[in-house]
């Protein structure tokens, strides 16, 4: 390709090599519309397309977010109600979603199949430029908000998918805090508004404003088009030009304004709701927040990300250490948000009191002044730079394509009219930082942005009991007043709108509309399952699972220790051990030195307990202790040496540090419980009927949180006993007879591992231990888990293998149909939940779960009615092909090197053979309607067991307490 030449309407402006990601960048501008296009070309066959728009909100009605949902609800070429869902049902996509940010909206797709990739582009381009929102007002009602009324005598209520999603998002105090931080720092610009929508303001959005927002911002002249991978550039440009050529270039004012700096630091207090019987003690958040520069300055933004890790990233970080030592709260963490025009740097203390505010500010500024005066520890700087650099170079995410991560990252400059590849070309800025760090680079950064910067806020978030009830009552009263102020005509119109919406939701798409959605054929899918590389070896009496794959000079090492010698009552201590390792001093390193050594030499390390369930016998399982680690190949010996030091020589004699880690663990678990409420409820539900899940609850579920909360509350009384149990558990786990090794790297690098594994093996215990009895009592607890959340997470299910049924690949096709057809329509579209799905596993577990759900009993009834849906199911060959392809996209998800090793290990430990994998694949590919319908009895018998668990709003659960056996307060 030649610079300044026009290809299918796009003028090529620049070509540049991006050596950091082994790619070539082609930068284009569409002549007719001014649309910007960037192609990152390389040999990756997982192709990515994204079209993004700058969408700065001017209020908190959530209009950018509601538009993001709504454009995917039917368009000119694809006049079905949910093209997005039709694609998930029937595409080989490796990524398909849309995301709303504070100032942009992105529509990315990815696929390894070229035909599929163009199909996805087609649907997305038609959706963003020609959505059906202009002729179907019900789309705003469904996705955004609407008044619901079926009868004049009924209560007027508010419904809508985004409305409920954001009620869920505003349920956790951390989420409220982060959303309010930007409000305090940017009172005069778009960042002062909630682009996702504040539930208090979402109902202020009118249909006219909704349409106007789309008209203004969704135009090629305001678009950023991104292509990645090994696709044919000219073919891609030609395809995209077909969409753009009907538009003319236009001036669109979407620039992000700068917030003028403050003259003084602002101080603001806000409240958040806690449950009625929750203690308010030590529930306050203290935060100090700074606006730090300009995202277009790549070097400074990267340096600030590193600085956040230096100051607050580990227990060895000096600012974190000072705040913890001052006893200001139970958890201290930092946050750096670099993906907005004016980045934000936050210092946060959780579990504090309002009267500690002045002390908090004093400790922060005294510590920072001291660090500037005395200088930062050079080794700590090196460690933090190494950690961030490893993350950038590896650029791996477990379940997102690499190309997508690059596409999101480059918007940090491109959106603000800086060079689109600035954030991908990080070698030069990183080298400048490394050179500067030899002098006073980071000290000067602290002075500039943290000590001499008045563009800052102190935001205090205080707990308030009864606040949720107050808000609910105020909303009820407001809706009652609105209803009373309406004329009969207006009420009739709302009733009519409600019924029209329901009718639209319940009416199936006509066949001819469904056939507009492009579809692959079964012949596009290979029948043979991929074989994950696995070579069994023996090293010094230990079994090694070796996975020879290309890893770009990174070694992925896993250690699996059997925990079947640990008594059931000690399982929570094993989980606690996993949170302590690497954070305490060892015989040869203080915890500060250890933290630095880990970040300098190790790319990442995780410790966690897990249950491995055998597939041939549902009663056979074993708990294991997992250590996952990764490092550059030349650092592998040092990594193994450090892991050996940590597991063999950690000391449990630092009472103060152990208490701090327990407090932080409790805090982090609380953050996860509301955010992943569907997972918490599903795990808890499964523990009622599965012994493996019951034990897992004590290590990874709500039971573990209760254990940690009790430990924290009675720490001094339990301390001596705790230490004895930690040593006991450690000795029972870290024994050579328990160990299974795993290594993923290139064949030629394996010897380096084999030569150095002795660092770990030589000091492990060698004695033979007796297996313990892992039998536990099960009970049908059917709990209502009470929280301050504004929404519910509703779970129901049982184990079908206990009822005499066996696993079959057809079950996964049924899962696709139930999740993406029946539940999507019934619980999400009609019920207003943000998500709902059915999961079926080989071990027999079958669960239904909803996410950010305004309902409770209605959702359980929807689960129960699944049987009727299956009975009435009629699917033609085209629809069945679609469901099979959608199911295959999960089976054929592209795996990065780490996942190839990890999944292969898990299959090995569970007894899943290549024959099992091939059999499942063939059962999916050969699925027929009769086979699907024959599974009705499985679902019916599971539902009849009546096992349920709901986590959610305490008032809503108490109002329905007749369906529960127990009500449990979640947070202590």
């Amino acid at each position: 390709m030649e610079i300044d030449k026009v290809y299918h309407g796009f003028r090529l402006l620049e070509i540049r090599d991006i050596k950091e990601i082994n790619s070539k960048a082609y930068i284009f501008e569409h002549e007719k519309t001014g649309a910007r296009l960037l192609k990152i070309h390389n040999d990756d066959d997982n192709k990515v397309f994204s079209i993004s728009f700058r969408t700065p909100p001017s209020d908190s009605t959530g209009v950018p977010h509601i538009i993001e949902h709504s454009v995917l609800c039917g368009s000119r070429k694809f006049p079905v109600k949910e093209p997005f869902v039709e694609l998930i049902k029937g595409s080989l996509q490796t990524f398909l979603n849309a995301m709303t940010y504070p100032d942009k909206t992105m529509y990315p797709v990815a696929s390894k199949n070229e035909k599929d990739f163009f199909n996805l582009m087609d649907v997305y381009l038609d959706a963003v430029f020609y959505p059906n929102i202009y002729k179907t007002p019900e789309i705003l009602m469904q996705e955004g908000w609407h008044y619901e009324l079926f009868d004049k005598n009924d209560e007027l209520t508010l419904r809508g998918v985004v409305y409920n999603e954001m009620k869920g998002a505003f349920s956790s105090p951390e989420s409220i805090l982060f959303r309010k931080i930007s409000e305090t720092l940017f009172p005069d610009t778009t960042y002062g508004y909630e682009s996702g929508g504040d539930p208090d303001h979402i109902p202020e959005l009118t249909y006219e404003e909704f349409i106007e927002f789309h008209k203004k911002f969704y135009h090629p002249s305001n678009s950023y088009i991104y292509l990645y991978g090994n696709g044919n550039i000219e073919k891609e440009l030609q395809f995209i030009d077909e969409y753009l050529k009907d538009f003319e270039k236009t001036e669109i004012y979407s620039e992000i304004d700068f917030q003028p700096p403050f003259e003084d630091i602002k101080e603001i207090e806000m409240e958040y709701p806690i449950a009625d019987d929750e203690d308010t003690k030590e529930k306050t958040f203290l935060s100090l927040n700074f606006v730090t520069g300009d995202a277009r300055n790549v070097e400074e933004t990267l340096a600030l990300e590193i600085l956040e890790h230096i100051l607050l990233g580990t227990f060895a970080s000096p600012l974190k250490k000072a705040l913890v030592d001052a006893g200001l709260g139970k958890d201290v963490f930092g946050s750096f948000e670099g993906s907005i025009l004016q980045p934000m740097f936050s210092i946060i203390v959780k579990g504090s009191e309002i009267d500690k505010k002045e002390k908090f500010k004093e400790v922060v500024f005294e510590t920072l002044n001291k660090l500037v005066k005395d200088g930062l520890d050079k080794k700590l700087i090196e460690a933090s730079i190494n950690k961030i650099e490893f993350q950038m170079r590896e650029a791996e995410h477990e379940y997102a394509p690499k190309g997508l991560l690059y596409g999101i990252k480059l918007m940090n400059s491109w959106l603000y009219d800086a060079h689109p590849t600035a954030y991908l070309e990080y070698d030069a800025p990183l080298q400048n930082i490394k050179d500067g760090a030899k002098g006073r680079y980071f000290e000067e950064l602290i002075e500039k942005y943290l000590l001499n910067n008045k563009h800052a806020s102190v935001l205090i978030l205080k707990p308030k009991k009864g606040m949720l009830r107050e808000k609910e009552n105020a909303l009820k009263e407001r809706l009652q007043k609105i209803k009373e102020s309406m004329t009969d005509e207006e009420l009739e119109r709302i009733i009519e709108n409600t019924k029209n919406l329901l009718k639209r939701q319940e009416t199936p798409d006509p066949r001819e509309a469904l056939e507009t959605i492009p579809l692959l054929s079964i012949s596009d899918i290979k029948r043979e399952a991929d074989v994950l590389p696995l070579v069994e070896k023996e090293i010094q009496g230990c079994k090694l699972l070796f996975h020879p794959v290309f890893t770009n000079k990174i070694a992925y090492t896993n250690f699996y220790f059997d925990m079947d010698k640990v008594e059931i009552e000690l399982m929570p201590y094993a989980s606690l051990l996993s949170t302590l390792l690497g954070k305490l001093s060892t015989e040869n390193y203080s915890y500060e030195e250890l933290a630095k050594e880990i970040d300098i030499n190790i790319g990442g390390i995780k410790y966690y307990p897990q249950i491995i369930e055998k597939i041939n016998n549902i009663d056979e399982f074993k708990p294991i202790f997992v250590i996952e680690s990764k490092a550059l190949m030349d650092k592998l010996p040092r990594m193994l040496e450090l892991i050996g030091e940590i597991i063999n020589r950690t000391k449990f004699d630092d009472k103060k540090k152990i208490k701090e880690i327990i407090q932080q663990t409790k805090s982090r678990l609380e953050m996860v419980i509301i955010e992943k409420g569907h997972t918490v409820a599903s795990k808890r539900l499964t523990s009622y009927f599965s012994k493996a899940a019951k034990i897992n609850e004590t290590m990874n579920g709500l039971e573990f949180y209760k254990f940690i909360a009790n430990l924290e509350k009675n720490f001094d009384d339990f301390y001596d006993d705790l230490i004895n149990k930690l040593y006991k558990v450690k000795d029972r786990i870290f024994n050579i007879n328990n160990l299974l090794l795993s290594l993923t790297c290139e064949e030629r690098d394996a010897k380096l591992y084999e030569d150095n594994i002795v660092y770990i093996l030589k000091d492990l215990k060698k004695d033979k231990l007796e297996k313990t009895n892992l039998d536990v009592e099960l009970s049908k607890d059917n709990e209502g888990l009470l929280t301050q959340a504004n929404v519910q997470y509703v779970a129901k299910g049982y184990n079908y293998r206990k009822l005499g049924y066996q696993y079959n690949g057809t079950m996964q096709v049924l899962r696709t149909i139930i999740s993406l057809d029946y539940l999507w329509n019934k619980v999400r579209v009609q019920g207003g939940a943000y998500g709902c799905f059915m999961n079926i596993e080989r071990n027999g577990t079958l669960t239904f779960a909803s996410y950010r759900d305004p309902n409770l009993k209605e959702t359980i009834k929807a689960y129960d009615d699944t049987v009727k849906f299956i009975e009435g199911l009629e699917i033609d060959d085209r629809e069945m092909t679609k469901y099979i392809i959608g199911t295959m996209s999960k089976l054929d998800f592209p795996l990065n090197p780490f996942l190839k090793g990890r999944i292969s290990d898990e299959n090995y430990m569970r007894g899943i053979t290549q024959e099992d994998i091939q059999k499942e694949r063939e059962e999916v590919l050969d699925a027929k309607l009769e086979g699907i319908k024959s599974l009705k009895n499985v679902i019916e018998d599971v539902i009849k067991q009546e096992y349920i668990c709901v986590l959610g709003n305490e008032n809503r659960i108490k109002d329905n307490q007749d369906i529960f056996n127990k009500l449990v307060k979640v947070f202590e």
Side-chain angles (χ1 to χ4, degrees):
M1 283 188 150
E2 292 174 37
I3 288 173
D4 217 31
K5 202 172 165 188
V6 176
Y7 298 88
H8 307 290
F10 288 91
R11 184 175 295 281
L12 180 57
L13 305 177
E14 190 184 350
I15 303 173
R16 59 201 288 156
D17 286 315
I18 315 284
K19 64 179 189 299
E20 291 83 349
I21 61 168
N22 203 19
S23 304
K24 203 178 271 284
Y26 296 83
I27 300 164
F28 296 90
E29 184 177 300
H30 192 250
E31 296 255 279
K32 192 160 183 264
T33 63
R36 310 154 188 84
L37 187 144
L38 169 67
K39 165 78 184 204
I40 299 287
H41 191 74
N42 51 38
D43 60 4
D44 193 342
D45 65 347
N46 196 2
K47 293 171 275 294
V48 178
F49 160 81
S50 173
I51 182 161
S52 305
F53 302 92
R54 199 155 51 191
T55 51
S58 54
D59 57 37
S60 291
T61 59
V63 62
H65 187 188
I66 296 169
I67 295 263
E68 175 234 299
H69 279 237
S70 300
V71 298
L72 295 169
C73 292
S75 64
R76 175 192 66 172
K77 272 173 77 175
F78 308 106
V80 296
K81 290 181 291 183
E82 304 266 4
F84 174 71
V85 184
E86 296 305 319
L87 287 174
I88 301 177
K89 283 181 196 172
S91 157
L92 289 175
Q93 52 83 20
T94 56
F95 189 86
L96 181 76
N97 212 333
M99 294 95 87
T100 303
Y101 292 88
D103 52 13
K104 62 182 175 281
T105 311
M106 297 184 73
Y107 295 87
V109 298
S111 180
K112 295 176 81 168
N113 179 295
E114 187 193 52
K115 189 171 153 193
D116 191 42
F117 183 61
F118 278 88
N119 290 347
L120 295 170
M121 278 206 284
D122 200 7
V123 175
Y124 263 44
L125 285 164
D126 205 62
V128 295
F129 291 127
Y130 301 105
N132 279 349
I133 57 175
Y134 288 87
K135 58 182 182 187
T136 313
E138 288 86 0
I139 293 174
L140 168 62
M141 291 173 64
Q142 174 183 296
E143 297 300 318
W145 76 278
H146 66 278
Y147 290 126
E148 185 170 277
L149 194 67
F150 286 100
D151 184 279
K152 277 186 189 176
N153 300 317
D154 291 347
E155 265 186 33
L156 187 68
T157 56
L158 276 172
R159 291 270 177 174
V161 173
V162 168
Y163 178 69
N164 288 315
E165 179 190 345
M166 297 312 293
K167 277 174 76 176
F170 275 81
S171 286
S172 82
E174 289 82 8
S175 185
I176 295 169
L177 178 74
F178 282 114
R179 287 165 195 284
K180 295 298 180 186
I181 284 171
S182 59
E183 199 178 292
T184 65
L185 291 174
F186 303 104
D188 308 310
T189 76
T190 193
Y191 298 132
Y193 299 112
E194 176 49 64
S195 64
D198 182 328
D200 292 344
H201 295 287
I202 289 172
E204 294 163 10
L205 178 65
T206 66
Y207 180 66
E208 292 71 27
E209 289 165 340
F210 170 71
I211 291 297
E212 195 46 49
F213 194 90
H214 182 270
K215 266 187 194 160
K216 180 176 179 183
F217 294 120
Y218 280 64
H219 187 283
S221 302
N222 187 44
S223 70
Y224 301 79
I225 301 167
Y226 168 70
L227 293 159
Y228 168 92
N230 68 354
N232 182 311
I233 303 181
E234 291 214 35
K235 195 173 171 184
E236 290 166 345
L237 295 178
Q238 186 178 1
F239 186 83
I240 293 166
D241 180 53
E242 282 300 309
Y243 271 98
L244 305 189
K245 65 183 172 52
D246 294 334
F247 292 86
E248 300 295 333
K249 189 182 285 192
T250 180
E251 281 298 315
I252 295 171
Y253 184 80
S254 62
E255 278 72 17
I256 313 299
D257 292 329
F258 262 80
Q259 172 67 48
F262 301 162
E263 289 180 11
D264 282 302
I265 296 176
K266 292 191 171 188
E267 295 204 4
I268 294 153
E269 285 181 21
M270 292 182 180
E271 293 173 324
Y272 74 93
I274 59 168
D276 289 346
D277 53 359
E278 218 179 304
D279 195 350
T280 57
K281 192 167 174 270
E282 296 178 328
K283 289 280 169 72
T284 294
F285 289 76
L286 309 175
S287 72
L288 184 51
N289 316 288
F290 301 88
V291 173
T292 50
D294 184 329
R296 292 170 297 190
N297 185 332
V298 178
E299 183 186 314
E300 207 170 61
T301 305
L302 181 54
L304 284 159
E305 187 184 347
I306 294 165
L307 180 64
E308 187 271 322
H309 188 265
I310 292 169
L311 294 177
L312 296 149
T314 72
F315 275 101
S317 298
L319 184 53
K320 180 181 178 105
K321 195 167 177 300
L323 288 163
V324 169
D325 287 349
L328 287 166
K330 297 188 172 183
D331 191 6
V332 173
F333 52 96
S335 165
F336 178 68
E337 174 53 81
S339 61
I340 56 176
L341 178 60
Q342 293 177 273
M344 300 183 291
F345 190 111
S346 294
I347 300 156
I348 297 160
V349 175
K350 179 183 173 185
S352 190
E353 297 287 3
I354 188 126
D355 60 11
K356 293 182 175 174
K357 179 181 75 172
E358 293 306 319
K359 181 73 176 167
F360 165 61
K361 291 191 294 183
E362 184 186 308
V363 171
V364 169
F365 290 120
E366 272 183 12
T367 306
L368 292 175
N369 272 306
K370 189 171 188 307
L371 290 170
V372 168
K373 180 169 167 280
D374 299 344
L376 286 158
D377 179 335
K378 294 294 183 197
K379 199 169 179 185
L380 180 61
I381 295 173
E382 183 195 348
S384 297
I385 291 173
N386 185 75
K387 186 177 181 69
I388 304 296
E389 181 177 3
F390 185 94
Q391 289 168 359
M392 289 194 299
R393 293 202 188 282
E394 187 191 29
E396 290 290 3
H397 184 283
E398 281 192 17
Y399 296 105
K402 191 173 278 211
L404 172 69
L405 302 182
Y406 295 146
I408 293 169
K409 193 73 181 168
L410 58 82
M411 292 304 289
N412 292 0
S413 59
W414 201 16
L415 192 77
Y416 313 118
D417 305 319
H419 200 280
T421 63
Y423 273 91
L424 302 182
E425 298 180 80
Y426 51 74
D427 273 351
L430 191 60
Q431 193 55 52
N432 289 344
I433 291 168
K434 287 177 179 176
D435 293 343
K438 293 169 189 164
R440 291 181 51 78
Y441 188 100
F442 285 100
E443 290 82 356
E444 285 166 10
L445 211 56
I446 291 172
E447 276 188 304
K448 181 177 177 182
Y449 284 123
L450 305 182
L451 288 174
N452 303 329
N453 180 8
K454 298 293 185 192
H455 195 168
S457 70
V458 176
L459 173 60
I460 313 294
L461 200 60
K462 302 182 295 185
K464 186 182 177 185
K465 283 187 187 187
M467 186 176 171
L468 202 58
R469 179 76 78 180
E470 278 173 31
K471 286 192 90 161
E472 285 168 1
N473 290 342
L475 178 61
K476 250 184 178 175
E477 278 176 38
R478 188 157 64 82
L479 290 171
Q480 181 62 31
K481 280 181 184 161
I482 287 168
K483 189 184 170 197
E484 285 166 3
S485 72
M486 285 179 177
T487 63
D488 279 357
E489 253 176 49
E490 287 170 323
L491 287 172
E492 285 300 338
R493 199 176 310 125
I494 286 175
I495 292 168
E496 189 187 347
N497 289 345
T498 304
K499 288 178 177 170
N500 286 345
L501 175 60
L502 187 60
K503 186 181 174 192
R504 180 178 188 272
Q505 291 167 338
E506 289 179 337
T507 306
D509 285 311
R511 184 175 174 165
E512 60 273 18
L514 285 169
E515 286 179 0
T516 63
I517 299 286
L519 189 63
L520 299 174
S521 62
I522 299 289
S523 61
D524 289 313
I525 299 168
K526 62 184 175 64
R527 206 160 169 85
E528 217 45 40
D530 285 342
V531 178
L532 294 174
L534 170 61
V535 181
E536 287 188 54
K537 293 187 170 191
E538 192 86 15
I539 298 187
Q540 300 182 30
C542 265
K543 183 169 279 186
L544 167 69
L545 305 181
F546 175 53
H547 313 283
V549 295
F550 175 73
T551 60
N552 203 11
K553 299 195 178 96
I554 293 173
Y556 297 94
T557 64
N558 294 338
F559 304 86
Y560 306 108
F561 289 92
D562 284 356
M563 293 206 313
D564 52 5
K565 325 292 187 308
V566 176
E567 290 94 335
I568 283 176
E569 60 273 16
L570 292 178
M571 291 293 173
Y573 293 90
S575 190
L576 174 60
L577 175 68
S578 74
T579 70
L580 294 169
L581 290 177
K583 299 187 188 95
L584 293 172
S585 299
T586 65
E587 286 170 23
N588 295 307
Y589 297 93
S590 69
Y591 72 85
E592 293 101 330
E593 283 307 310
L594 185 65
K596 287 180 272 194
E597 289 295 331
I598 288 170
D599 281 348
I600 284 170
N601 295 289
I602 301 180
I605 186 162
K606 277 198 239 174
Y607 316 84
Y608 58 90
Q610 184 187 351
I611 301 277
I612 292 291
E613 295 181 73
K614 298 283 187 181
I615 60 151
N616 294 326
N617 178 354
I618 57 171
D619 293 320
E620 194 184 340
F621 63 89
K622 67 175 174 189
I624 61 170
F625 191 98
V626 184
I627 303 173
E628 261 175 33
S629 56
K630 56 191 175 184
L632 293 170
M633 215 65 226
D634 61 351
K635 302 257 179 96
L636 176 64
R638 186 74 179 112
M639 175 173 82
L640 295 173
E641 194 182 329
L642 285 167
I643 293 172
E645 176 74 20
I646 289 164
I647 62 176
N648 293 312
R649 285 180 281 283
T650 290
K651 300 193 295 184
F652 300 104
D653 57 359
D654 188 339
K655 185 175 179 180
K656 180 175 173 293
K657 182 57 57 192
I658 290 171
K659 184 175 185 181
E660 286 165 8
I661 296 167
I662 287 171
Q663 287 177 334
Q664 176 176 294
T665 303
K666 177 173 179 267
S667 159
R668 303 295 160 95
L669 288 169
E670 285 165 352
M671 292 182 198
V672 170
I673 287 170
I674 293 290
E675 192 48 47
K676 297 194 173 164
H678 58 306
T679 308
V680 174
S682 297
K683 275 186 185 172
R684 187 76 166 182
L685 166 78
T686 313
S687 74
Y688 304 158
F689 55 78
S690 157
K691 291 179 180 182
K694 178 105 178 185
I695 292 172
N696 192 45
E697 258 297 283
T698 68
M699 300 190 296
N700 292 309
L702 201 51
E703 215 48 52
F704 179 62
Y705 168 73
K706 296 281 185 192
F707 165 79
I708 288 291
N710 187 40
L711 209 50
E712 187 228 11
K713 198 173 177 183
N714 302 289
F715 183 76
D716 289 334
D717 296 341
F718 290 170
Y719 179 70
D720 291 337
D721 183 50
L722 167 66
I723 300 313
N724 290 333
K725 284 176 174 163
L726 284 170
Y727 276 113
K728 187 176 181 182
V729 164
K730 174 177 161 299
D731 289 347
R732 297 224 165 166
I733 294 173
F734 300 133
N735 182 307
I736 200 159
N737 300 302
N738 294 336
L739 179 58
L740 174 67
L741 299 165
S742 167
L743 170 67
T744 304
C745 68
E746 287 162 73
E747 188 86 54
R748 66 169 187 260
D749 294 323
K751 188 168 185 326
L752 188 63
Y753 174 88
E754 290 169 19
D755 291 345
N756 287 278
I757 192 66
V758 65
Y759 281 123
I760 286 174
L761 305 184
K762 66 184 171 71
D763 293 323
L764 289 172
K765 298 270 186 245
K766 308 284 190 295
D767 43 329
K768 293 262 196 278
L769 297 167
E770 287 292 309
K771 286 189 180 181
T772 188
N773 176 12
L774 293 176
D775 200 26
V776 284
E777 293 263 322
L778 298 175
S779 60
K780 187 176 179 179
D781 288 345
N782 285 17
E783 293 159 307
L785 306 173
L786 309 170
T787 73
Q788 80 288 356
N790 288 316
V791 286
Q792 282 64 248
Y793 302 87
V794 182
K796 182 167 186 171
Y798 193 65
N799 187 303
Y800 61 84
R801 286 176 62 178
K802 283 190 166 192
L803 303 171
Y805 299 102
Q806 290 305 311
Y807 178 75
N808 183 295
T810 312
M811 289 175 163
Q812 295 305 334
V813 183
L814 177 66
R815 172 188 179 224
T816 302
I817 295 170
I818 298 296
S819 296
L820 294 174
D821 195 328
Y822 174 69
L823 291 174
W824 180 280
N825 203 39
K826 196 80 183 162
V827 180
R828 186 190 189 277
V829 171
Q830 293 173 35
Y834 183 44
C836 191
F837 22 82
M838 178 176 84
N839 274 323
I840 304 181
E841 296 175 34
R842 281 183 188 268
N843 64 9
T845 302
L846 189 157
T847 52
F848 296 87
S850 66
Y851 184 70
R852 293 184 180 170
D853 187 351
N855 302 310
L856 200 161
K857 274 184 177 168
E858 300 88 335
T859 299
I860 293 172
K861 183 173 187 319
Y863 298 160
D864 295 348
D865 289 344
T866 305
V867 178
K868 285 186 204 159
F869 170 78
I870 298 171
E871 279 172 352
L873 196 58
E874 291 302 330
I875 304 175
D876 62 23
D877 289 348
R878 189 180 192 277
E879 285 293 288
M880 182 55 85
T881 297
K882 184 195 293 179
Y883 289 126
I884 289 169
I885 290 169
T887 306
M888 290 306 300
S889 77
K890 291 186 182 68
L891 295 188
D892 284 347
F893 191 85
L895 303 175
N896 61 36
F898 162 72
L899 283 174
K900 282 178 183 171
R902 186 70 179 90
I903 289 170
S904 181
D905 292 345
E906 204 152 300
N907 289 344
Y908 177 89
M909 290 186 280
R910 292 184 66 196
I912 298 173
T913 64
Q914 192 62 29
E915 290 72 35
D916 294 323
I917 292 165
Q918 185 62 37
K919 180 173 177 284
E920 176 189 50
R921 186 180 190 85
E922 288 172 10
E923 286 164 349
V924 170
L925 288 169
D926 297 337
K928 299 280 184 289
L929 180 60
E930 312 84 79
I932 299 287
K933 293 190 84 157
S934 72
L935 295 170
K936 179 203 84 157
N937 295 341
V938 179
I939 304 293
E940 188 168 26
D941 287 351
V942 162
I943 282 167
K944 274 185 191 164
Q945 305 309 308
E946 296 296 345
Y947 278 75
I948 62 161
C949 179
V950 179
L951 182 142
N953 179 288
E954 60 176 342
N955 303 324
R956 192 69 189 265
I957 289 173
K958 284 173 182 172
D959 290 344
N960 292 278
Q961 61 184 9
D962 56 305
I963 66 169
F964 300 106
N965 294 339
K966 289 181 183 175
L967 297 186
V968 178
K969 181 179 85 167
V970 170
F971 296 115
E972 299 299 322

